[in-house]
Amino acid sequence: MAADTFLVELGVEELPPGAIDNLSDAFAAGVRRGLEEADITHGEVKAYASPRRLAVQVKDLADKQPDREVERRGPALAAAFKDGQPTKAAEGFARSCGVTVDQLIHLETNKGTWLGYREQQQGEATTALLPSIVEKAIAALPVPKNMRWGASRVEFSRPAHWLVMLYGERVVEAAALGLQAGRTTRGHRFHAPEPLPLSHADDYLAALESAWVLVDRDARRERIREQVLAEAEVQEAQAVIDEALLVEVSGLVEWPVALTGGFDERFLEVPAECLISSMKANQKYFHLLDDAGRLKPRFITVSNIDSPSPELVIQGNEKVIRPRLADAAFFYETDRQRPLAERIAGLSSVVFQQKLGTLADKAHRNAAVSAFIAGRIDGDVAHARRAAELAKCDLVTEMVLEFPELQGIMGRYYATHDGEDAEVARALEEQYLPRFAGDAIPQTRTGQALALADRLDTLTGIFGIGQRPSGTKDPFALRRAAIGVLNILIQGELDLDLRELLELAAAQHQELPYADGLVDEVLAYMLDRFRAWAQDEGIGAEVYLAVRSRPVTKPLDFARRLQAVKVFSSREEAAALAAANKRVSNILSKQSDAVTAKVDDGLLQEDAEKALAEALDTCRDKVAPLFAAARYGDALDVLAGLREPVDRFFDDVMVMAEDEAVKRNRLALLASLQALFLEIADIAELQH
């Protein structure tokens, strides 16, 4: 079976830069899925993309489907013949197969014998199947928003202008989005606007690069990175390359050329974050820092042309950025003319959520919870209350209205300017930490109290109005809020009871339609998030389930148990003790009456049960202070010593003795064993 390279390229007007990666990956996935469904063997499937094209290249694509044996089943043998002669059913089936009845075979199944027919079906040519595969792949693309162009009824993200489909040297006869497939692509819009015919599908990358197009997304990004770093080195500066910005810039250019420009040093009087946000959000510039980490009055822009007069391109970018930075400076000066505290009243006109009131209502609720938490973690209650009152005030400043990503950051700057306490000012920024997985948590007690209160208020409020997340829908980012709370409590080593905090947060809401059972529901939801937290920590699902089965409501305590059980699960004794606990659980669950853990030593008869009772008494004395100090790892080390007496007990002792009193005593012994482990976790869950 022969094989060759397949190429499909859809040429369009400039795609939204943020959508290019998803569209490109989805296109490749759709083509791959179509080939696999058609059972066509192939090699690497590679996605390519630039602002003006989506392409997929498939290496070593077989020229046809494999031949296969097709088996058809006809009528049951009993219905196929009567008095030794074929019935109409048998003759009709034979005709449908294109053969006579005597050419049919007998198929033996567990339900009887049937007439059947086997034939070799020739595989269809790949070029005949590709048009449908590509058409389906294009139709399934996750286009953010469709549009029409000209008089056509065709819809796509952007107007489509050309379609290339090559199998080796041959053009695949196909059509999509109103375009006929050919071998002609286009190069760079300005540097190589002439049509560019491709001789072979393998020529794609080289041909486009010769026409000033880097169509490989990864290669284009790395070239941008290299150029930006090289420009920064010339400026004796450090370039800050935000990966999200790099992806976006890569989606704006086909032939990147990095250039360095500058701006007036007077703008450096504005907080660096404001200038950086303006440069990134509006102009897609990379900013530069000096050796001390201070912002330099320079920027790097990535042009889509290799201009013979780069200084003119630089001047144009400098001219554009100047009014942007002037706006940022104006917002900063305007905002500082009014203290943050004067904006508290304005929060009453900003709705947080229709059923949960305004930002002023949220600030009032947060103040009460923040103050309570601060008192529990040796923080300053007055600072926590003040930070909560000011926390949302920067949301109504000119700067944050223009650059929402500066929320909290500007609050810190403005609070510092107003003379607020340094920890209060810092807490205004820290309230949003952690913002993503791996991000830092608040470092001040005031920041920790505020960050916890704000998330707990949102969780209880949104659940309380019946807006629990479902599937992938989580418009209020409650999953992130829950994990944020867990991370703050654990990394901050705050030994707080989540149930108590949720009860307090829920009580601040005046009226919630789903108040019944609210705390239990939110608590369960948050503790369920420990599964993701544990996974990030390299902790297996069975360890999580072992701890989750216990009524633990302090996240810090939950985390300590997880780490202890994780270490214990790798011990040699773990498997045997987990199996023993599983057996104990099964035995006890089958008892009609409740089994106490009180053992009567006078009823112990066998040496093995006496040894186990003695071992349990010894362990109980040793682990009691360890449990009290939450030293769960040390406690499990002690309990690991129970393996030998437990194994011996099950080998030598009949639990379900004929004497009812002896039986109940042995059950009590097992309940006592189980109770010791359940002080930490249900290790029966460790048994695979």
Side-chain angles (χ1 to χ4, degrees):
M1 187 179 293
D4 214 330
T5 301
F6 170 62
L7 170 71
V8 54
E9 181 195 56
L10 178 63
V12 296
E13 292 186 11
E14 278 72 7
L15 291 163
I20 289 177
D21 279 10
N22 283 341
L23 290 171
S24 177
D25 292 339
F27 196 16
V31 171
R32 183 187 295 108
R33 183 167 53 251
L35 294 174
E36 290 170 355
E37 289 174 354
D39 197 24
I40 307 173
T41 60
H42 60 83
E44 181 186 22
V45 178
K46 179 73 174 177
Y48 296 107
S50 80
R52 298 179 67 211
R53 68 201 75 228
L54 297 171
V56 179
Q57 190 181 60
V58 184
K59 295 288 189 179
D60 301 318
L61 181 64
D63 64 349
K64 62 188 289 290
Q65 293 173 310
D67 297 340
R68 56 178 179 161
E69 186 176 73
V70 177
E71 184 177 277
R72 295 178 59 187
R73 192 174 77 174
L77 198 62
F81 294 94
K82 185 176 182 180
D83 299 330
Q85 298 300 314
T87 63
K88 290 184 178 181
E91 291 173 343
F93 175 65
R95 281 195 302 272
S96 71
C97 297
V99 296
T100 58
V101 172
D102 59 354
Q103 292 176 291
L104 298 175
I105 62 174
H106 291 182
L107 298 178
E108 300 289 343
T109 73
N110 56 3
K111 294 184 178 181
T113 304
W114 310 74
L115 278 186
Y117 180 69
R118 291 195 187 100
E119 64 175 339
Q120 283 293 116
Q121 190 175 80
Q122 298 294 312
E124 198 167 351
T126 296
T127 51
L129 298 169
L130 284 171
S132 174
I133 291 172
V134 170
E135 187 176 14
K136 288 180 180 177
I138 292 175
L141 290 178
V143 175
K145 188 175 182 180
N146 275 318
M147 63 180 295
R148 295 177 183 172
W149 56 96
S152 171
R153 303 290 294 178
V154 174
E155 293 186 354
F156 194 61
S157 176
R158 293 292 186 270
H161 293 303
W162 74 87
L163 178 65
V164 174
M165 284 180 64
L166 290 177
Y167 182 64
E169 298 179 345
R170 290 178 289 160
V171 172
V172 178
E173 298 295 332
L177 299 181
L179 301 167
Q180 288 297 316
R183 65 171 68 250
T184 303
T185 183
R186 310 281 175 85
H188 193 282
R189 185 184 294 278
F190 303 110
H191 289 305
E194 304 83 7
L196 179 64
L198 299 172
S199 300
H200 193 284
D202 285 331
D203 299 339
Y204 186 60
L205 290 182
L208 279 181
E209 187 162 0
S210 70
W212 302 75
V213 175
L214 280 178
V215 74
D216 186 312
R217 293 178 299 172
D218 295 334
R220 195 163 66 249
R221 283 171 198 164
E222 288 312 304
R223 181 171 297 188
I224 293 172
R225 190 192 306 275
E226 291 167 5
Q227 291 182 355
V228 169
L229 293 175
E231 287 288 310
E233 188 174 355
V234 171
Q235 299 297 321
E236 298 183 345
Q238 175 189 351
V240 179
I241 300 179
D242 180 282
E243 292 301 317
L245 179 60
L246 179 62
V247 169
E248 188 171 9
V249 170
S250 176
L252 291 168
V253 299
E254 291 195 314
W255 191 260
V257 178
L259 301 169
T260 303
F263 56 85
D264 197 317
E265 287 194 20
R266 67 183 175 86
F267 290 122
L268 294 179
E269 297 174 6
V270 178
E273 293 92 339
C274 304
L275 305 180
I276 292 168
S277 284
S278 183
M279 286 190 282
K280 286 171 61 174
N282 294 319
Q283 303 307 130
K284 316 305 175 189
Y285 294 163
F286 296 93
H287 62 280
L288 299 174
L289 304 177
D290 63 18
D291 291 339
R294 296 185 298 262
L295 183 66
K296 296 193 71 168
R298 311 290 288 167
F299 62 84
I300 297 175
T301 182
V302 179
S303 173
N304 191 35
I305 60 172
D306 192 356
S307 173
S309 303
E311 66 280 359
L312 296 179
V313 178
I314 293 171
Q315 289 172 14
N317 280 276
E318 291 176 339
K319 184 178 180 181
V320 171
I321 193 61
R322 194 175 300 118
R324 295 288 192 181
L325 299 183
D327 285 345
F330 174 76
F331 295 148
Y332 183 58
E333 289 302 319
T334 301
D335 287 340
R336 293 198 301 172
Q337 291 173 15
R338 287 182 61 203
L340 273 181
E342 287 188 9
R343 300 178 187 272
I344 294 176
L347 298 180
S348 297
S349 61
V350 182
V351 175
F352 164 60
Q353 203 282 337
Q354 187 177 7
K355 295 180 181 179
L356 298 176
T358 65
L359 286 180
D361 297 323
K362 184 172 180 60
H364 180 73
R365 296 192 298 265
N366 285 351
V369 179
S370 294
F372 175 83
I373 293 174
R376 286 295 184 89
I377 61 175
D378 297 326
D380 189 301
V381 173
H383 286 168
R385 189 176 296 278
R386 180 62 169 172
E389 291 170 349
L390 299 176
K392 306 305 177 184
C393 289
D394 68 344
L395 297 181
V396 292
T397 62
E398 296 294 331
M399 186 70 80
V400 176
L401 288 172
E402 179 70 17
F403 301 109
E405 67 274 13
L406 294 179
Q407 62 181 3
I409 294 172
M410 297 317 300
R412 172 172 60 85
Y413 276 109
Y414 295 148
T416 301
H417 175 264
D418 297 344
E420 297 286 349
D421 181 87
E423 184 161 318
V424 170
R426 188 175 175 187
L428 301 191
E429 181 175 2
E430 289 184 328
Q431 67 178 304
Y432 297 105
L433 300 178
R435 292 159 294 192
F436 48 83
D439 196 17
I441 66 165
Q443 296 303 301
T444 67
R445 290 303 194 203
T446 301
Q448 291 169 352
L450 178 57
L452 289 170
D454 191 40
R455 289 169 170 82
L456 293 168
D457 175 79
T458 299
L459 283 158
T460 54
I462 300 302
F463 268 79
I465 60 173
Q467 297 294 316
R468 178 190 176 111
S470 60
T472 58
K473 294 182 179 180
D474 186 13
F476 290 93
L478 298 187
R479 292 185 182 90
R480 187 170 64 196
I483 292 175
V485 169
L486 298 181
N487 279 320
I488 293 170
L489 293 174
I490 295 166
Q491 294 179 37
E493 297 190 349
L494 306 179
D495 194 24
L496 298 176
D497 190 309
L498 197 51
R499 177 181 292 280
E500 182 181 28
L501 297 182
L502 289 169
E503 287 174 347
L504 179 63
Q508 306 310 308
H509 293 276
Q510 291 185 353
E511 184 178 348
L512 293 172
Y514 294 87
D516 291 344
L518 172 62
V519 170
D520 287 336
E521 183 182 15
V522 180
L523 178 63
Y525 175 81
M526 297 185 72
L527 293 179
D528 285 346
R529 304 283 76 73
F530 254 116
R531 183 187 289 269
W533 184 92
Q535 186 175 3
D536 291 341
E537 296 292 316
I539 297 173
E542 69 282 356
V543 174
Y544 161 78
L545 292 172
V547 178
R548 183 70 178 90
S549 66
R550 307 306 301 139
V552 182
T553 57
K554 291 184 175 182
L556 179 60
D557 192 52
F558 199 113
R560 287 171 174 166
R561 291 168 188 255
L562 282 174
Q563 296 292 355
V565 177
K566 175 190 175 184
V567 173
F568 173 76
S569 66
S570 63
R571 292 187 60 135
E572 180 184 352
E573 301 91 341
L577 286 170
N581 272 269
K582 185 73 171 178
R583 186 173 178 181
V584 169
S585 179
N586 289 337
I587 292 172
L588 296 178
S589 67
K590 294 176 181 177
Q591 305 310 306
S592 56
D593 299 326
V595 177
T596 69
K598 187 175 180 179
V599 178
D600 183 346
D601 291 341
L603 291 173
L604 297 174
Q605 298 177 346
E606 305 287 345
D607 289 344
E609 62 181 324
K610 293 176 182 178
L612 178 57
E614 184 179 350
L616 288 174
D617 288 340
T618 301
C619 281
R620 194 176 294 108
D621 291 339
K622 289 181 179 180
V623 298
L626 298 178
F627 289 154
R631 292 169 54 188
Y632 301 118
D634 293 338
L636 284 170
D637 287 341
V638 173
L639 295 179
L642 290 171
R643 176 185 176 179
E644 191 277 330
V646 168
D647 286 348
R648 184 182 169 198
F649 175 86
F650 280 117
D651 287 342
D652 297 352
V653 178
M654 174 70 72
V655 177
M656 309 306 287
E658 292 184 9
D659 186 311
E660 183 66 20
V662 172
K663 182 185 78 170
R664 300 299 298 179
N665 200 53
R666 289 173 180 174
L667 289 173
L669 190 61
L670 294 183
S672 180
L673 167 67
Q674 183 187 57
L676 269 180
F677 281 97
L678 288 180
E679 286 286 338
I680 303 173
D682 183 359
I683 69 165
E685 293 286 352
L686 300 181
Q687 189 180 28
H688 297 289

